[in-house]
Amino acid sequence: MTEHIVLDRRAAVARILRDRGDALAIASLGNPTFDLAAAGDCDQNFYLWGAMGGAVMVGLGLAQAQPEKRVIVFVGDGEMMMGLGSLATAAVHAAPNLSVVVIDNEHYAETGMQPAHAGRGVDIGGVARACGFQKTLLVRTDAELEAAAGSVLNGQGPLLATIKVNTEPQPTALPPRDGPYLRSRFRTALLGEDAHR
């Protein structure tokens, strides 16, 4: 288990997105969705809400379909453990514009803060490297976060950054929950108003 984790999840996500430009962001269920919304809900955000385990695959498909745009996938450590196979697929397809950010509090926050695999010795970055990711980052400090933000936004992908965050509770920041609305606004952000004709 990592000792004395100091980073705040909301501040970490906000820092990564501070200079995002037209980057697209996908968030898995629970806290990553709330963190992304708290950093600023916008048309370039897509929230998966209940599709646990699928965020990296959605991000990979989007990165392949939109090769000129950076795609950032925000997942919790529990979601990433559920979708480990997606790391192998992402590595094989090697989308250069894909970044996966694992917000790792080493607990299952959605089900009662039980200790999770990442807090019991599982190295998610090590798994990604074994799958073929050329670049993985482990972020524990503000200085490491500053350095990682540029790589997440501009580095050669596929890239995985594991950001160790504390378990301090955060207020819920709810983005829209209407699936058709989220789909339509995201599609319009990508393809313009003609996307619906």
Side-chain angles (χ1 to χ4, degrees):
M1 178 183 287
T2 304
E3 295 181 16
H4 194 59
I5 297 173
V6 298
L7 290 178
D8 174 270
R9 64 181 308 125
R10 291 281 164 89
V13 171
R15 172 60 193 94
I16 289 170
L17 293 172
R18 186 182 75 195
D19 304 312
R20 77 184 278 185
D22 66 351
L24 307 171
I26 306 297
S28 68
L29 82 168
N31 282 327
T33 282
F34 307 147
D35 297 339
L36 179 58
D41 181 48
C42 69
D43 295 352
Q44 290 81 18
N45 292 353
F46 193 78
Y47 312 100
L48 291 178
W49 282 109
M52 187 170 182
V56 171
M57 293 309 298
V58 170
L60 173 61
L62 187 58
Q64 291 177 314
Q66 296 288 323
E68 301 304 314
K69 293 187 183 287
R70 174 61 56 159
V71 177
I72 307 169
V73 179
F74 292 95
V75 297
D77 55 292
E79 152 106 9
M80 196 67 264
M81 289 302 302
M82 184 176 186
L84 284 180
S86 64
L87 293 178
T89 303
V92 167
H93 287 280
N97 56 329
L98 177 65
S99 292
V100 178
V101 177
V102 181
I103 307 299
D104 182 5
N105 66 5
E106 302 184 348
H107 290 78
Y108 294 112
E110 295 302 302
T111 59
M113 295 303 287
Q114 301 91 341
H117 294 72
R120 301 167 72 190
V122 174
D123 177 1
I124 294 172
V127 172
R129 285 190 301 278
C131 287
F133 273 65
Q134 296 300 306
K135 178 92 171 172
T136 62
L137 305 167
L138 178 60
V139 177
R140 291 190 175 114
T141 67
D142 286 322
E144 290 171 346
L145 179 61
E146 282 296 317
S151 294
V152 168
L153 288 171
N154 302 303
Q156 178 74 16
L159 173 148
L160 182 136
T162 303
I163 302 179
K164 294 287 188 175
V165 297
N166 62 44
T167 57
E168 292 299 315
Q170 300 283 347
T172 300
L174 288 175
R177 299 182 76 173
D178 183 320
Y181 167 75
L182 289 170
R183 177 208 60 217
S184 294
R185 79 169 191 174
F186 192 70
R187 185 177 170 131
T188 299
L190 290 179
L191 305 175
E193 292 297 333
D194 292 336
H196 302 289
R197 294 183 184 177

